[in-house]
Amino acid sequence: MRYDSWRGAGDSAEALRAAGAATMASASTLAAWLTRRGLVGADEAVDDTVRLLGLVRARPPAWQAKLAAALAARLRGRGPSYQLTAILVRETGITPPTDDGFITAWVAAAAETAERRGLAEVLSADPLFDALLPRLFHAQGVGEVLQWESDPADPDGWLGALRTLCERGRVDRSMLLDGCVGRFLRGGTALELRFFVRLHQALAPDPAELDRHAVDYLRLLPAAPGTVAELALGHVRELPVPTELAEAVEALMMRPEKKLVRAGLSWIDQLARLAPDRLAETSAALALAFGHESSDLQDRAVRLTLKHSTRLDLAPILEAIPHLPRDLRARLDGLASPHLGPGGEPAAEDAVVLVAPVLPQAELLPPIHTVDELAAEFGRAAAPFGNPGWLPVERLLAGLVELAHRDREAVRAALIPPPQDASVYPTNPMTWLWMTLRAVLGDRPSPPALPGPDSVSAPHVMVLRRMAEVLDAALSDTLPPVLLATPTSASGHVDPAVLVDRLHRVEAAGGTPLDADLQQALLRIPRTAMPPVDARLTSPAGRLVARWLGGEEVVPVVTVRDKYNDGAAERWFDDGPPRYSCGDPRFVPFVSAPPTGLDLIDLLFSDPRKYLRAGGGCLDWWPGVLPSHREVAAGYLLQHYSWDWPERSPNREHLVRLAGAEGPLGAASAVMLAFHLNDEDPAGRTAALEVLLALAAGGALPGTELGEQLGRLVRQEMVTLSRVLPSLTEAARLGAGRQVWEVVAAAIPHLVPAEGERARSGLADLLALGVATVPPGAAAPIPGLAGLAARKGSSRMVREAARLVQVLG
């Protein structure tokens, strides 16, 4: 019979185990066989212990003892071999094993036996109990087995049994307390330590026992799981004030759990009554609470400071006051602080300066200058059906055009024709590049039908039209000496001086610029650092370039509407939803601009609703097609975002590239930024935060639009505040407080709940962030805020709304 140790032996497992017990001479070999993966996992519900015992008991006692020890060392918890092991250990009288797997299995088996009679009686009668009980606090896995133990009064549970045995004097109470505390100090997760916390609570240590472990409880405060630290703090507060008071309270103030920080503040208040002469030692800890993210805890710390100011050391407190929101700082005006400027604002030297993070940029390789280099680059390019990236394709196209114009024969001698079936994907730019190469090499490819705006998006049309016209020029032997629109920067921009020089080269060769190439070049002119207009630009193309360089550039206007909530009566589609976009393009951009007479530019700057059926290919090209009009690029990208399938949406790299482009930003880019701030992946949220900081540092963050879109998205349950708020809070901490305030102020009106409506989770935190970031002089009323602050009740939301109203004057 074939035996597979990974899949198990199925119905033959018991027979195989028995065969091994009857025939194997070595005890260690049999132990390995009985605990083998396939045999252990065959059917754990089947108990073949009686059969195996009958076979094993025929062996010498010494051999049985070796088998018992070998099995105990190989156990990984309860399994078919545990009962056999436990019986042999008891019968042979060997020193009880202390292996983790055996201890864990013993604990689980004892609990099962207790279902027939009380666990305290079961344990008392077990000859292994006294030797194994101390290992309960050391063996890995015991905590998970006993994690559901919760009732000390249950006689069938471990908590009730151990307490009963302590009361009878059968178990040393000090050993149990020492074991629990030692287990806490060794560390572990909250789940692993849950049983030991409950056991410690069930034992209810007296003052003498607490005093014996006072130092241990203090050591648990900084880093133990929350339940353990809470238990330790409760006992510390019952003891005399420790010598290490300052360290203990500071450890609590740095805990992430609000409950522990609040308990630490209560301890400080308690010390004012019990040991007023020691209160000054807690000043640094109290100052730490000023920087806590919870406004409630900040408020509590301020109240304690005012209450006990005469007994505190004010030096660390004064240094920490600038970390408080303005309304809380104002309450401490009586404490003279050199760190506060006029009006209770942080002094200039303490202000955080916002530094823009360095966003990742694509590498722009130098142009291709030789035929050998061109051949090598085509050799490294992806297969005809692939896409090596938009910048490499631009570089290959530019190199092919220039070198073919200069010396077509040299190109033909150095390069080999691509496969004939490379023209079956007309929407792939590489298809047109490979066909152009075949045309340069003397072939006559038959171009497929060029996709139009009814099947691909307008930026995609621009890419394909430009590639197709280069192919037509290659077929007609009219290639220009240079392409005008080849980027000179990784953002997609073309240096104006380089553009003028390229235009002169084309006209000096007796040619005219390719139409799509010229229009693409106009869109890639940067908005800054324009050179003086060259007087030699007198041709029609030259005059057009001169006008755009002279500032006659068209500035499109982009708006965004939610097709489910804005203008629902309008007919958005003529014949059903889009065919190619991922999911449902909920947010629809509206682009408008005066006509230019340039068909591709007018297509890009036109209302895209009639093209919503267009596919989303070549998304990586789009920011580079519109590097000076990034809001238009954002509008087109926005159509392909899906809240249902975020992994199919434009990725964070698109957002980063828009941040590195030029042009004003608005609602479209705000929705994109909100989407990535809400990313389930922390790396995605980090990338979005860096983009937010970079835009804020450059004065380009659309704060009001971002706030409005966040408010709407949260209300529609498409964005979760708990994911977005940490990034906004971090941005404010890094110096973007004014920009974050714009976001918060614009979001609040969309999130104020109507009477009787349940508030959105996180609204109180958003209001608290507003209190922390509102700049001096910001007195403009926020719609709905005053009504929210005036509502009855003492919920945190209402309190934070009242604080914000007060700060706004």
Side-chain angles (χ1 to χ4, degrees):
M1 182 191 73
R2 182 180 179 189
Y3 167 68
D4 185 340
S5 64
W6 283 95
R7 298 179 183 174
D11 295 337
S12 304
E14 290 182 66
L16 290 170
R17 288 162 59 85
T23 60
M24 292 181 177
S26 168
S28 59
T29 303
L30 178 57
W33 175 253
L34 293 177
T35 56
R36 193 163 181 167
R37 184 193 306 271
L39 298 181
V40 169
D43 187 353
E44 295 188 7
V46 175
D47 187 358
D48 58 354
T49 304
V50 174
R51 179 184 298 108
L52 295 178
L53 277 173
L55 296 169
V56 170
R57 281 171 175 162
R59 307 290 187 104
W63 188 94
Q64 295 181 43
K66 289 182 180 179
L67 176 62
L71 283 172
R74 298 184 67 89
L75 287 179
R76 297 295 180 266
R78 286 301 303 274
S81 299
Y82 166 71
Q83 290 294 348
L84 173 66
T85 307
I87 292 173
L88 289 176
V89 168
R90 293 183 176 102
E91 289 184 352
T92 59
I94 66 171
T95 301
T98 57
D99 306 279
D100 288 358
F102 183 78
I103 301 297
T104 304
W106 172 72
V107 168
E112 291 181 5
T113 307
E115 296 178 1
R116 298 187 294 273
R117 53 198 181 104
L119 183 57
E121 284 67 31
V122 171
L123 295 176
S124 294
D126 189 349
L128 304 180
F129 176 65
D130 292 322
L132 298 187
L133 181 60
R135 285 289 302 164
L136 198 74
F137 304 96
H138 297 265
Q140 193 68 29
V142 169
E144 290 90 330
V145 171
L146 298 178
Q147 60 179 296
W148 305 115
E149 292 274 346
S150 59
D151 186 4
D154 181 8
D156 295 333
W158 273 89
L159 288 175
L162 291 177
R163 191 173 71 168
T164 298
L165 294 175
C166 278
E167 293 171 352
R168 295 177 183 175
R170 176 70 174 79
V171 172
D172 183 3
R173 174 187 175 86
S174 297
M175 184 272 293
L176 294 182
L177 282 173
D178 293 348
C180 288
V181 174
R183 186 67 183 85
F184 298 152
L185 291 172
R186 280 189 292 276
T189 65
L191 185 67
E192 293 168 340
L193 300 178
R194 179 185 294 173
F195 168 76
F196 303 102
V197 170
R198 290 170 176 167
L199 176 59
H200 192 284
Q201 292 170 336
L203 293 173
D206 58 36
E209 290 169 328
L210 293 178
D211 185 65
R212 184 158 53 89
H213 290 291
V215 175
D216 296 325
Y217 293 137
L218 289 171
R219 291 167 59 192
L220 291 171
L221 294 180
T227 53
V228 177
E230 186 179 349
L231 176 146
L233 176 61
H235 293 322
V236 166
R237 292 179 63 175
E238 296 177 23
L239 296 169
V241 179
T243 305
E244 303 84 355
L245 173 63
E247 294 85 348
V249 183
E250 288 181 25
L252 290 170
M253 294 301 106
M254 291 187 285
R255 296 282 311 200
E257 302 90 346
K258 294 180 182 179
K259 185 176 183 180
L260 285 172
V261 178
R262 188 176 294 108
L265 293 173
S266 298
W267 190 17
I268 292 175
D269 197 22
Q270 179 188 34
L271 289 170
R273 299 189 304 272
L274 301 180
D277 57 319
R278 301 286 305 276
L279 193 61
E281 300 175 38
T282 67
S283 301
L286 195 57
L288 286 174
F290 285 8
H292 199 278
E293 62 181 14
S294 169
S295 58
D296 280 352
L297 295 177
Q298 290 178 318
D299 178 76
R300 172 72 169 150
V302 167
R303 285 189 281 116
L304 285 177
T305 300
L306 293 173
K307 181 179 180 181
H308 306 298
S309 59
T310 58
R311 294 173 179 167
L312 293 170
D313 177 5
L314 293 182
I317 291 176
L318 294 177
E319 291 182 3
I321 287 179
H323 297 297
L324 290 168
R326 195 188 338 154
D327 64 323
L328 296 182
R329 291 198 299 267
R331 290 166 58 183
L332 296 175
D333 281 345
L335 305 178
S337 173
H339 295 271
L340 295 183
E345 296 305 317
E349 60 269 20
D350 290 331
V352 179
V353 178
L354 174 59
V355 178
V358 178
L359 299 178
Q361 294 290 335
E363 181 182 8
L364 182 69
L365 296 175
I368 297 173
H369 293 295
T370 67
V371 173
D372 291 339
E373 188 180 358
L374 180 67
E377 291 300 320
F378 267 110
R380 281 192 287 267
F385 310 107
N387 190 339
W390 78 280
L391 277 175
V393 173
E394 287 273 10
R395 181 169 176 260
L396 279 169
L397 183 66
L400 178 62
V401 169
E402 291 191 42
L403 293 172
H405 180 274
R406 184 191 311 164
D407 191 348
R408 180 174 287 203
E409 293 304 319
V411 173
R412 288 178 176 176
L415 277 76
I416 60 174
Q420 292 291 325
D421 60 351
S423 59
V424 295
Y425 293 105
T427 59
N428 188 345
M430 284 299 292
T431 292
W432 299 89
L433 180 61
W434 286 104
M435 283 193 295
T436 301
L437 176 58
R438 286 169 53 196
V440 168
L441 298 181
D443 196 2
R444 302 292 297 179
S446 298
L450 186 64
D454 58 337
S455 58
V456 296
S457 297
H460 198 169
V461 172
M462 170 67 86
V463 173
L464 297 179
R465 275 274 299 275
R466 186 159 165 260
M467 304 291 287
E469 72 178 5
V470 174
L471 171 60
D472 291 341
L475 289 171
S476 61
D477 201 16
T478 58
L479 285 172
V482 64
L483 293 177
L484 302 182
T486 303
T488 58
S489 73
S491 64
H493 285 106
V494 177
D495 183 271
V498 174
L499 173 58
V500 171
D501 179 67
R502 289 173 178 173
L503 184 57
H504 287 323
R505 287 177 59 188
V506 172
E507 294 180 346
T512 57
L514 300 177
D515 180 57
D517 188 44
L518 174 60
Q519 295 188 56
Q520 177 64 92
L522 295 176
L523 292 174
R524 286 176 171 170
I525 293 174
R527 291 172 171 264
T528 56
M530 293 294 185
V533 177
D534 195 322
R536 295 174 297 165
L537 298 176
T538 57
S539 66
R543 291 195 298 272
L544 178 61
V545 170
R547 289 201 304 272
W548 281 64
L549 289 175
E552 197 176 299
E553 176 189 18
V554 174
V555 180
V557 176
V558 183
T559 57
V560 172
R561 297 180 71 178
D562 178 349
K563 71 176 187 177
Y564 291 132
N565 293 286
D566 299 331
E570 295 189 36
R571 188 174 184 182
W572 296 87
F573 300 109
D574 293 331
D575 54 356
R579 293 171 295 179
Y580 303 111
S581 68
C582 52
D584 190 355
R586 178 166 187 160
F587 294 91
V588 183
F590 291 74
V591 185
S592 61
T596 64
L598 303 169
D599 62 334
L600 287 173
I601 293 178
D602 288 341
L603 175 65
L604 283 164
F605 293 170
S606 65
D607 185 349
R609 279 184 298 172
K610 56 187 175 182
Y611 302 126
L612 280 178
R613 290 176 57 86
C618 291
L619 267 63
D620 289 343
W621 291 70
W622 295 6
V625 170
L626 294 153
S628 295
H629 304 277
R630 52 185 172 183
E631 182 67 4
V632 179
Y636 281 104
L637 287 168
L638 189 59
Q639 298 180 59
H640 301 281
Y641 274 86
S642 171
W643 263 253
D644 297 325
W645 294 284
E647 67 277 3
R648 301 182 185 176
S649 302
N651 56 42
R652 67 194 69 153
E653 283 74 19
H654 296 102
L655 183 67
V656 171
R657 287 185 55 203
L658 287 178
E662 293 182 346
L665 294 174
S669 53
V671 175
M672 284 183 62
L673 185 54
F675 179 92
H676 292 287
L677 286 171
N678 189 58
D679 198 333
E680 291 183 0
D681 182 3
R685 297 197 295 272
T686 299
L689 171 60
E690 292 179 347
V691 167
L692 188 153
L693 291 171
L695 294 175
L701 179 69
T704 300
E705 291 86 350
L706 177 58
E708 290 177 350
Q709 298 302 331
L710 275 175
R712 290 170 178 164
L713 291 168
V714 170
R715 193 164 192 85
Q716 297 164 20
E717 298 182 352
M718 300 171 71
V719 162
T720 305
L721 269 179
S722 59
R723 285 189 191 156
V724 176
L725 280 174
S727 295
L728 295 179
T729 303
E730 180 67 5
R733 187 186 70 82
L734 294 174
R738 179 180 59 81
Q739 294 87 346
V740 169
W741 163 250
E742 293 177 0
V743 177
V744 173
I748 289 173
H750 299 277
L751 297 175
V752 173
E755 287 290 347
E757 180 187 7
R758 184 176 180 179
R760 304 289 168 178
S761 176
L763 177 57
D765 292 323
L766 182 71
L767 293 167
L769 181 59
V771 173
T773 57
V774 57
I782 297 177
L785 179 63
L788 180 62
R791 292 185 185 180
K792 296 180 180 179
S794 58
S795 68
R796 181 168 174 250
M797 176 188 68
V798 174
R799 296 201 310 273
E800 295 295 352
R803 289 181 62 205
L804 185 53
V805 168
Q806 180 183 7
V807 171
L808 289 171

